[in-house]
Amino acid sequence: MADEHVTKEQLEAIAAENEEGEKVFYKPPAQKTLQEIQDLDQDDESLRKYKEALLGAGGAAADPSVPNVQVTRLTLIPVSENSPEALTLDLQGDLESFKDESFILKEGVEYKIKISFKVNKEIVSGLKYVQMTYRKGIRIDKSDYMVGSYGPRAEEFHFLTTLEEAPRGLIARGTYNIKSKFTDDDKHNHLSWDWNLNIKKDWDKKD
């Protein structure tokens, strides 16, 4: 198996290299309720149109039984030639079942991750998708994707990450444990889930 070819020292070196990126400093704005924003500057036509563009004409139905933010799906979309269909994780089902599966990704393939979610009641500020990648128990990478601020509406929103490339080579092949989290400026944990990727030489290879 490919995991047997990688050592702890090699993984720690990969983790150190991935941590060299610049930190992003961001101060979140003061939080306002949907009603407070709707009541602001009602005589300002340009602001009224902006708020309507952000919130929609009527907003979403405020069902008290559902959370403000619902994360519905994660979709991994390969963009290389001869790639199979996109991998989709239904995040409204049994999240524990993902821990027992390994989804195959061919080494060196370029891909994007799409997060589908709904905002049901209040505007949410500074949504963020956080992904931490582990190999043999060692965290080798962490990616923070700023999703943005959204108002309630009936339709889903979709966020697409920048283009990523799967690692390649004998050392890179093997199982990666991924811890994903959808959070915001107020550090609300809207959803957390674990899943596994198995980097292989080809889509249908056993090793």
Side-chain angles (χ1 to χ4, degrees):
M1 296 294 291
D3 283 324
E4 297 175 354
H5 296 284
V6 62
T7 66
K8 178 181 178 181
E9 289 74 18
Q10 288 171 322
L11 292 175
E12 290 174 343
I14 293 171
E17 182 178 340
N18 288 335
E19 287 179 356
E20 290 179 357
E22 295 182 2
K23 293 182 178 179
V24 177
F25 295 94
Y26 170 69
K27 183 178 180 180
Q31 186 76 9
K32 289 183 179 294
T33 67
L34 177 60
Q35 189 61 50
E36 287 174 333
I37 291 178
Q38 289 175 330
D39 291 342
L40 285 173
D41 300 316
Q42 295 184 10
D43 297 330
D44 188 326
E45 181 66 13
S46 62
L47 183 58
R48 184 191 65 77
K49 290 181 178 179
Y50 169 75
K51 289 188 291 185
E52 186 171 308
L54 174 65
L55 304 175
D63 183 347
S65 67
V66 300
N68 187 39
V69 177
Q70 289 177 291
V71 191
T72 58
R73 292 183 307 282
L74 178 146
T75 308
L76 191 150
I77 308 170
V79 298
S80 303
E81 293 184 4
N82 303 318
S83 296
E85 294 183 0
L87 159 69
T88 299
L89 302 183
D90 179 4
L91 300 178
Q92 295 186 298
D94 181 11
L95 301 182
E96 290 296 315
S97 65
F98 299 147
K99 296 179 180 180
D100 300 324
E101 300 180 57
S102 289
F103 302 98
I104 295 175
L105 185 63
K106 180 183 176 182
E107 64 177 2
V109 163
E110 292 184 321
Y111 65 93
K112 294 183 178 182
I113 290 177
K114 181 171 74 172
I115 304 290
S116 302
F117 63 97
K118 291 184 68 177
V119 178
N120 295 310
K121 303 172 185 177
E122 296 286 348
I123 291 174
V124 60
S125 176
L127 283 171
K128 181 169 65 172
Y129 172 60
V130 181
Q131 179 173 293
M132 293 182 289
T133 304
Y134 292 79
R135 184 94 184 270
K136 299 178 74 171
I138 298 173
R139 196 184 85 181
I140 60 171
D141 193 26
K142 179 183 178 184
S143 299
D144 289 18
Y145 300 95
M146 294 304 301
V147 177
S149 300
Y150 295 83
R153 73 176 191 185
E155 298 81 14
E156 286 187 340
F157 295 100
H158 304 284
F159 170 76
L160 201 63
T161 67
T162 55
L163 194 64
E164 306 284 350
E165 183 178 337
R168 65 172 72 229
L170 182 61
I171 292 177
R173 297 174 203 149
T175 301
Y176 294 77
N177 310 113
I178 300 172
K179 296 183 181 295
S180 294
K181 181 168 67 173
F182 205 64
T183 183
D184 61 27
D185 280 345
D186 294 324
K187 302 188 185 304
H188 293 138
N189 183 6
H190 298 294
L191 190 69
S192 295
W193 67 99
D194 295 1
W195 52 296
N196 303 309
L197 269 182
N198 197 339
I199 305 295
K200 291 182 175 288
K201 188 175 182 180
D202 209 339
W203 292 107
D204 57 355
K205 292 288 185 182
K206 294 183 178 180
D207 296 309

